[in-house]
Amino acid sequence: MEAFTTLTGLVAVLDRVNVDTDQIIPKQYLKTIHRTGLKEGLFADWRHRPDGSLDPLFFMNQTRYQGATILLTGDNFGCGSSREHAPWALLDYGIRSLLAPSFADIFFSNCFQNGILPVRLQAHEIQQLFDAVHAQEGYRLMIDLPSQKVKTPEGTSFHFDIDPFRKTGLIQGLDAIDLTLQREPAIAAYEARRKQEVPWLFQDL
Amino acid sequence: MSAKTMFEKIWDAHVVDEEPDGTALLYIDRHLVHEVTSPQAFEGLKQTGRKPRRPTAVLAVPDHNVPTTDRRVGIPDPMSHRQIQMLEENCAGFSIQMFGMNDIRQGIVHVIGPEQGLTLPGMTIVCGDSHTSTHGAFGALAFGIGTSEVEHVLATQCLVQKRPKTMEILVEGTLSEHCSAKDMILAIIGEIGTSGGTGYVMEYTGSAIRALSMEGRMTLCNMSIEGGARAGMIAPDEITFSFIKGRPLAPKGTLLDQALAAWAELGTDPEVQFDKAVHLQAEDIAPQVTWGTNPGMVSRVDGTVPNPLSMPKGAVRQAAERALEYMGLRPGTPIEQIKIDRVFIGSCTNSRIEDLRVVASYLKGKKVAPWVHAMVVPGSGLVKKQAEEEGLDQVFRSAGMEWRESGCSMCLAMNADVLQPGERCASTSNRNFEGRQGKGGRTHLVSPAMAAAAAVAGHFVDIRHWA
């Protein structure tokens, strides 16, 4: 996983609430057996109009948002299915950070597994950023994970919260499975104790 | 010892190790695997030379991609075929038990876990699928995970998790006749919204919950995720224990006695405080129908399609306007006047034997409206067999419904079962997102009883006044 420390990048906007993972990547793209190449499916049903032509109003089809690495969006982004194809598709398209007032739990946790930083800001801060992006083409933000700040070109900065464990994992680009494997003695001791206490949970399937 | 919720008891019993910030290394007792969210996890194991830590704690089944028509002809879609083949190869290679497509025990992963007696009170269960919350109906802590976490659990039998908060959903009273657990959960989501449970584990309590069958409890917990909660739970009781006893993977003999003694202690202590609480009265719940593009956009069947102009200005109103445009509905239209083209009875929400019995009871002696195409997809091969032994398939067939093989089918339309653009469907599934059942398809979530009645009438009807 690629580490995440600071990111300065172009901001794209998707001004909708409750964007579900079925929209982020529709099911016809879930038949893949790979983690890469999923940008083709990113917002496939919203990028295109019913007749198959590109929707010029959708952010991915607008010249001003080409090359965006930050996506600014609405409440409860990523709700619905647990499909990790959603963060894979965003990453494949180039998005490294998402800004929203809230995210759905499973999607939020999936982002951290892939070096994507989901940032929760206050609703009025998100609104302020929407206004700023709409007002100025080429609007860029600086996201500073070590100091937990989103910095605007005007010099404002917004603080965000993040669990220390997740923060360290992202900054160091650590392999989560490796970290857990290092705790093998604790896992083995837990199993040995639980086999005595709750043997029915250890029957072989 | 301080008072604890059931969730806290199970969580605490599964903490292997804890970080200073409260992030826990949580032990996972059972891991369910299906074909869509697992290939990349197995690939990761192969690339790093890792092996599953406890392959005998894992059960796999193909369900999302399987055809619901005659399976002797194989899977026509080459991509679907390859994904299922990958699951077979990975399970064989890593010594994981799999119920194959032609095994009678095959079915939707969240139907077969409980059916086999794999799902037990007090355990942690995960699956790369958000509807894993279903298993919480047994007093288990069960939640959906992403593919990286699937790989993590395979390699370590553990997960790194932040402790969620607790939320009580108290439903007192008696559900009126013709209303079910599905109406209850839709009403709850209508009340709290699709992100009301974000960051929480829900526990459903109260007399109306205790009165539910295991099937009803599974329907309720299944849709916890549609309210934003990764997990929903119900304290185990005699209804739970009698469901579990005698199932193939359930404990037996002295092991069962030991387990029953432990399960009796599992419930939330009486004096406990939840972080958040919501109270509903069962008598207030009417049959529900969703009108929009998320499960929180829901109305009573005797209501009307809402007017976005009556909603607060901003994102909520915009979302409602967009939803009505997508759904092709006009504000003020009585729900009962909404005409349908398709009916889907199935999914991990409502495809169990009790659901099928309810559908049959409303269909008996009636015919599906001539313009409606209806299908019934049982949750597992064993549900199908049971339904056929009870003659339910005959009721469906003579009413003009298709009787299919088990799988996820048109809940998410990854196989050949898809809505055409503009088609309107009464569905017993769990998500009415744009395009969920097919691009341009319009989904209305309802209970099995409401779906059966809508199939016959050709539009939604208030089953409380329907003969």
Side-chain angles (χ1 to χ4, degrees):
Chain A
M1 186 183 83
E2 204 182 324
F4 189 110
T5 47
T6 61
L7 170 72
T8 303
L10 184 68
V11 184
V13 295
L14 179 57
D15 194 0
R16 291 182 192 176
V17 293
N18 298 319
V19 173
D20 59 78
T21 53
D22 277 80
Q23 306 319 318
I24 301 173
I25 183 147
K27 71 269 192 156
Q28 59 269 34
Y29 299 94
L30 304 187
K31 294 180 184 181
T32 176
I33 52 172
H34 306 292
R35 285 174 199 250
T36 50
L38 280 147
K39 69 177 169 207
E40 201 188 320
L42 183 65
F43 295 115
D45 288 350
W46 282 356
R47 245 192 303 151
H48 298 98
R49 291 185 286 210
D51 65 3
S53 65
L54 292 177
D55 178 354
L57 297 177
F58 196 67
F59 82 90
M60 291 172 73
N61 300 325
Q62 293 185 291
T63 321
R64 61 171 293 191
Y65 295 130
Q66 295 311 303
T69 53
I70 299 168
L71 183 63
L72 179 66
T73 187
D75 249 320
N76 198 27
F77 187 85
C79 60
S81 137
S82 67
R83 58 187 74 165
E84 200 164 316
H85 309 69
W88 292 337
L90 286 161
L91 189 65
D92 200 45
Y93 180 73
I95 301 295
R96 288 297 310 278
S97 183
L98 298 147
L99 309 179
S102 68
F103 296 90
D105 286 340
I106 306 179
F107 174 81
F108 188 74
S109 135
N110 283 341
C111 284
F112 287 96
Q113 308 285 344
N114 293 282
I116 298 175
L117 175 62
V119 175
R120 282 186 290 229
L121 293 178
Q122 301 292 321
H124 71 269
E125 295 169 340
I126 292 290
Q127 192 50 54
Q128 204 176 317
L129 291 175
F130 269 121
D131 294 343
V133 177
H134 286 306
Q136 191 192 324
E137 202 170 314
Y139 192 84
R140 295 162 78 82
L141 283 170
M142 199 263 211
I143 297 170
D144 184 339
L145 178 55
S147 73
Q148 297 177 215
K149 289 200 178 342
V150 174
K151 298 173 182 168
T152 72
E154 302 86 48
T156 318
S157 85
F158 302 118
H159 175 82
F160 62 88
D161 290 326
I162 182 169
D163 298 329
F165 186 81
R166 279 185 164 142
K167 181 177 171 178
T168 313
L170 265 190
I171 290 176
Q172 298 182 9
L174 299 172
D175 181 322
I177 298 178
D178 263 347
L179 285 181
T180 301
L181 287 172
Q182 287 166 23
R183 288 143 110 177
E184 170 59 30
I187 303 171
Y190 174 90
E191 279 180 336
R193 175 170 62 82
R194 292 281 284 175
K195 269 180 197 165
Q196 300 301 315
E197 293 172 1
V198 284
W200 60 90
L201 296 184
F202 288 84
Q203 292 187 102
D204 287 348
L205 294 181
Chain B
M1 212 168 62
S2 61
K4 283 183 178 181
T5 62
M6 174 168 57
F7 159 74
E8 286 160 338
K9 291 179 188 181
I10 300 174
W11 178 277
D12 292 347
H14 286 84
V15 173
V16 173
D17 207 354
E18 209 162 3
E19 293 294 324
D21 74 346
T23 305
L25 185 65
L26 205 66
Y27 193 79
I28 303 303
D29 296 314
R30 294 291 186 226
H31 188 185
L32 296 163
V33 169
H34 66 71
E35 79 277 21
V36 179
T37 56
S38 68
Q40 295 87 349
F42 284 114
E43 182 67 18
L45 290 184
K46 287 180 214 158
Q47 282 167 354
T48 50
R50 292 172 182 144
K51 288 198 164 32
R53 193 173 198 286
R54 255 186 80 194
T56 57
V58 189
L59 178 66
V61 69
D63 58 1
H64 283 57
N65 272 291
V66 296
T68 56
T69 46
D70 189 357
R71 288 183 184 160
R72 285 168 301 187
V73 300
I75 307 172
D77 178 346
M79 296 279 282
S80 294
H81 180 257
R82 187 171 62 149
Q83 216 171 38
I84 288 169
Q85 202 176 24
M86 285 296 296
L87 184 69
E88 288 167 358
E89 287 172 19
N90 286 324
C91 288
F94 288 113
S95 307
I96 289 168
Q97 188 179 179
M98 187 192 84
F99 294 168
M101 196 171 77
N102 294 311
D103 188 319
I104 189 154
R105 299 170 298 176
Q106 182 273 343
I108 306 172
V109 66
H110 309 308
V111 172
I112 69 164
E115 187 172 80
Q116 292 297 318
L118 171 146
T119 306
L120 300 174
M123 59 167 42
T124 48
I125 307 177
V126 296
C127 174
D129 194 288
S130 61
H131 291 113
T132 309
S133 58
T134 312
H135 307 264
F138 291 79
L141 175 60
F143 53 92
I145 56 177
T147 299
S148 296
E149 290 179 319
V150 169
E151 186 180 340
H152 201 125
V153 177
L154 284 170
T156 69
Q157 207 57 38
C158 292
L159 263 184
V160 179
Q161 291 289 302
K162 185 77 199 281
R163 189 193 193 100
K165 291 177 283 186
T166 58
M167 182 171 182
E168 181 184 30
I169 312 265
L170 172 69
V171 191
E172 292 285 11
T174 311
L175 268 181
S176 49
E177 206 193 341
H178 305 292
C179 288
S180 66
K182 182 63 164 287
D183 301 302
M184 203 189 273
I185 188 63
L186 286 171
I188 291 167
I189 298 166
E191 177 87 16
I192 66 168
T194 53
S195 58
T198 304
Y200 292 88
V201 162
M202 291 173 174
E203 184 180 341
Y204 301 94
T205 63
S207 53
I209 306 296
R210 288 193 297 274
L212 292 174
S213 65
M214 283 319 295
E215 281 90 344
R217 294 177 189 189
M218 284 189 257
T219 300
L220 202 64
C221 289
N222 172 274
M223 288 188 69
S224 303
I225 185 68
E226 307 330 321
R230 265 180 108 161
M233 310 171 87
I234 295 172
D237 57 11
E238 282 308 320
I239 295 174
T240 322
F241 305 147
S242 62
F243 183 98
I244 292 169
K245 284 177 196 167
R247 294 191 180 259
L249 299 174
K252 292 172 182 70
T254 50
L255 211 50
L256 176 65
D257 296 337
Q258 240 181 308
L260 285 168
W263 296 342
E265 304 293 316
L266 203 59
T268 291
D269 296 328
E271 61 276 34
V272 99
Q273 284 289 318
F274 287 83
D275 296 315
K276 192 171 170 181
V278 175
H279 179 198
L280 274 84
Q281 198 59 36
E283 289 79 3
D284 298 340
I285 298 171
Q288 306 281 308
V289 181
T290 63
W291 50 264
T293 51
N294 74 49
M297 294 174 164
V298 65
S299 165
R300 299 163 59 96
V301 65
D302 50 9
T304 55
V305 174
N307 191 340
L309 293 177
S310 69
M311 298 176 186
K313 243 184 186 166
V316 173
R317 186 192 287 186
Q318 273 171 28
E321 282 167 350
R322 198 185 147 80
L324 291 190
E325 191 193 331
Y326 179 87
M327 293 296 290
L329 292 173
R330 267 205 294 275
T333 308
I335 299 287
E336 287 193 75
Q337 282 178 18
I338 300 173
K339 204 172 154 186
I340 56 161
D341 311 299
R342 302 280 296 266
V343 170
F344 172 64
I345 289 156
S347 87
C348 57
T349 311
N350 284 125
S351 64
R352 298 177 183 83
I353 190 68
E354 185 184 275
D355 300 316
L356 303 188
R357 286 179 190 142
V358 166
V359 172
S361 75
Y362 283 87
L363 279 183
K364 220 159 199 172
K366 299 194 172 76
K367 293 268 182 228
V368 167
W371 62 87
V372 172
H373 173 195
M375 59 198 261
V376 187
V377 181
S380 72
L382 288 168
V383 168
K384 180 168 192 261
K385 180 168 172 269
Q386 172 79 28
E388 287 173 354
E389 280 165 10
E390 295 180 18
L392 305 182
D393 60 318
Q394 285 311 318
V395 178
F396 303 141
R397 284 202 180 99
S398 34
M401 285 190 176
E402 286 179 20
W403 175 238
R404 299 286 192 107
E405 299 292 330
S406 65
C408 299
S409 180
M410 208 164 71
C411 173
L412 87 165
M414 260 192 92
N415 69 351
D417 310 337
V418 181
L419 288 185
Q420 296 307 306
E423 275 190 327
R424 191 179 293 285
C425 180
S427 179
T428 66
S429 56
N430 41 56
R431 288 188 177 136
N432 49 343
F433 296 152
E434 284 183 30
R436 172 82 178 179
Q437 296 193 294
K439 192 171 177 170
R442 293 162 170 168
T443 303
H444 295 271
L445 303 177
V446 288
S447 71
M450 284 287 290
V456 172
H459 56 85
F460 293 111
V461 290
D462 189 340
I463 44 172
R464 295 170 302 177
H465 317 292
W466 186 72

